[in-house]
Amino acid sequence: MTSRTRRPVAAHGQLSRPSAWSQLLKVLGIAMAVVLVSGVGVAAYVGYDLTHTFVAKAVTLDGESSVPPDIGAIKGGVNMLLVGSDACEPEFAAEFGDRCSDPENAGERNDTNLLLHISDSPRRVTVITFPRDLMIQIPSCIDSDGNDTSPASKQAINTTLETGGPKNGLACVARTISKLSGLDIQFAAKITWGGVMKVTDAIGGVDVCVANGITDPDTGLNLEAGTHTLQGYWALQFLRTRHGVGDGSDLGRGSNQQVYMSSLARKMVSAKVLGNPGTLLKLANTVMSNVTPSTTLTSPTLLVQIALAMKDVPLDQINFVNYPVFTDPDDPNKVVPDYDSADQLWAALAANEPIQVTGQRNDAVISATPAPTDPATDPNAGQGATTDPSATPTPGATSGPVELSKNISGQSAAQQTCSNGNGFSG
């Protein structure tokens, strides 16, 4: 593994620490929090200590009154929206140049939109990335003043956080993605750039594999080929880069983020995080301080249930996929939905069928997982356990996974992948 020296970023304040382990264990145990920013996706199991501040900033979503107190009663699986905000926080604004200094860039956008689906038993996890340049119908939302906004027949999805404003932006994103997907969204969370930096620091960084090296003057990212442990500012810039990988598009950026997310998922379930009480406690405090939750996510019981539902899901049943799109005929820099391919994905999730991702953006991601051994040439093939024809089938099992359209790119958490960089300049 290689690791490069990085310039320091703004110092972070000391995180408040609850009264030892008794308070942590008494309140929640292990729970899941997902954080993202500017196309960032970060999934983590953490312990929450619900404070007044965390509850006070919660946002109400559509249909919250019908969400049962037990996730087992939520038919069709649990859906959680994870939004990454590009808000310019004073503590970090100097790090982001024109984005935070140019008045024309004012406003807060949802540059990352992830929908996390946890299926009914047997549990499977699917994380769908919606590109920020996706042009879709935007429903009427409620703004921060309590007024109804005008619906739009075709508008970029990343405008919805600003449409709802500081008070109702998260709810507007959830309403928009619910309309597009046809899924009820019971839970949601939002995190900023600064929050992502602090969370990656809390877990000690994430290992990412880079092929060919990356040079991106827009983010300042300059990585040699190899494996890098990225934290804080540089983890964020890796997640933000688009011109450093693939064809420089937002779609390539989304696939590059999945290299990070799959590595993060593997680290979260390892002894380095779940098996380390000190790391869990630090992560719990960091997430709680930096995430804006939906009101439903402030329920200790539901948080524990969500964590337990995900805890034992095999890595090969945790899939990261990109929402399928076509180039917008009105603007080559935008994209529009591929509804037919998306319907195939929604149908597989509704039926709780295992999925197999067959599409991959090879311009942005290179597989690093060894190819499976050919049974015809493997001398040990067939020498292991055999199938008992009288055995009872596993509930929910099918004859095989649903092969998704090749226009749905992505990977499972079990797959080792590398970012296909544009070359290291030194």
Side-chain angles (χ1 to χ4, degrees):
M1 176 188 302
T2 62
S3 180
R4 295 176 57 79
T5 302
R6 300 287 174 234
R7 68 181 177 83
V9 297
H12 303 158
Q14 294 295 316
L15 299 174
S16 60
R17 189 181 184 91
S19 57
W21 297 112
S22 59
Q23 185 174 357
L24 176 67
L25 297 177
K26 177 176 64 178
V27 177
L28 274 183
I30 297 176
M32 172 188 169
V34 184
V35 295
L36 353 60
V37 70
S38 187
V40 179
V42 183
Y45 294 105
V46 299
Y48 269 89
D49 169 30
L50 296 177
T51 65
H52 173 72
T53 301
F54 184 70
V55 174
K57 61 184 179 182
V59 174
T60 301
L61 305 179
D62 294 342
E64 278 197 1
S65 60
S66 63
V67 176
D70 186 335
I71 66 169
I74 300 177
K75 302 302 181 183
V78 174
N79 298 306
M80 182 187 301
L81 175 67
L82 313 165
V83 172
S85 158
D86 68 355
C88 289
E89 300 162 292
E91 183 179 358
F92 303 105
E95 301 286 348
F96 300 107
D98 289 345
R99 168 62 191 96
C100 294
S101 61
D102 188 344
E104 293 187 1
N105 291 329
E108 181 183 14
R109 294 177 290 272
N110 46 304
D111 273 1
T112 299
N113 308 278
L114 304 180
L115 183 60
L116 183 147
H117 175 82
I118 307 171
S119 73
D120 293 331
S121 182
R123 297 293 188 187
R124 301 183 177 95
V125 176
T126 307
V127 182
I128 303 102
T129 298
F130 297 84
R132 63 182 179 183
D133 294 332
L134 179 63
M135 303 296 289
I136 56 173
Q137 290 184 355
I138 307 295
S140 174
C141 294
I142 300 174
D143 64 20
S144 290
D145 295 325
N147 300 317
D148 291 333
T149 65
S150 298
S153 60
K154 187 179 182 182
Q155 188 169 304
I157 195 173
N158 75 332
T159 63
T160 50
L161 189 62
E162 188 172 15
T163 296
K167 184 177 180 181
N168 293 311
L170 182 60
C172 187
V173 183
R175 179 178 292 187
T176 301
I177 292 182
S178 180
K179 178 178 176 63
L180 175 64
S181 65
L183 301 177
D184 292 329
I185 296 176
Q186 300 93 7
F187 309 98
K190 180 187 77 169
I191 192 165
T192 62
W193 281 347
V196 168
M197 289 190 277
K198 291 178 180 180
V199 167
T200 55
D201 283 341
I203 63 174
V206 174
D207 295 340
V208 296
C209 173
V210 176
N212 307 317
I214 293 176
T215 299
D216 181 5
D218 288 346
T219 61
L221 198 64
N222 205 26
L223 299 175
E224 297 176 342
T227 301
H228 302 261
T229 301
L230 300 181
Q231 294 184 231
Y233 179 83
W234 294 108
L236 176 64
Q237 298 303 70
F238 178 85
L239 289 161
R240 293 183 65 215
T241 187
R242 58 187 293 176
H243 299 298
V245 295
D247 62 359
S249 70
D250 189 50
L251 300 180
R253 184 189 69 158
S255 292
N256 183 60
Q257 290 165 0
Q258 291 171 353
V259 173
Y260 183 97
M261 287 191 288
S262 61
S263 177
L264 178 63
R266 293 190 293 270
K267 182 168 185 176
M268 288 302 103
V269 299
S270 72
K272 292 181 180 179
V273 178
L274 284 182
N276 187 323
T279 299
L280 277 177
L281 181 57
K282 183 177 181 181
L283 185 56
N285 283 300
T286 305
V287 170
M288 191 175 59
S289 300
N290 291 280
V291 167
T292 298
S294 61
T295 304
T296 46
L297 271 181
T298 61
S299 164
T301 300
L302 279 169
L303 280 170
V304 172
Q305 290 177 356
I306 292 171
L308 293 176
M310 295 187 61
K311 181 172 69 71
D312 296 322
V313 176
L315 289 174
D316 65 356
Q317 293 300 308
I318 300 175
N319 283 284
F320 302 94
V321 300
N322 293 309
Y323 181 80
V325 297
F326 296 125
T327 300
D328 185 349
D330 298 325
D331 185 345
N333 295 314
K334 303 293 184 180
V335 293
V336 293
D338 172 1
Y339 290 111
D340 289 342
S341 294
D343 285 346
Q344 182 195 28
L345 172 62
W346 305 139
L349 297 185
N352 193 14
E353 296 175 313
I355 60 175
Q356 180 177 339
V357 182
T358 61
Q360 183 56 272
R361 289 190 60 89
N362 294 322
D363 62 324
V365 176
I366 296 175
S367 176
T369 302
T373 304
D374 184 348
T377 60
D378 183 1
N380 297 316
Q383 300 303 310
T386 59
T387 302
D388 179 359
S390 65
T392 302
T394 301
T398 67
S399 58
V402 174
E403 291 190 6
L404 298 179
S405 163
K406 289 189 179 298
N407 203 28
I408 301 178
S409 60
Q411 68 173 86
S412 76
Q415 291 176 277
Q416 305 275 344
T417 53
C418 298
S419 299
N420 190 7
N422 61 354
F424 175 63
S425 66

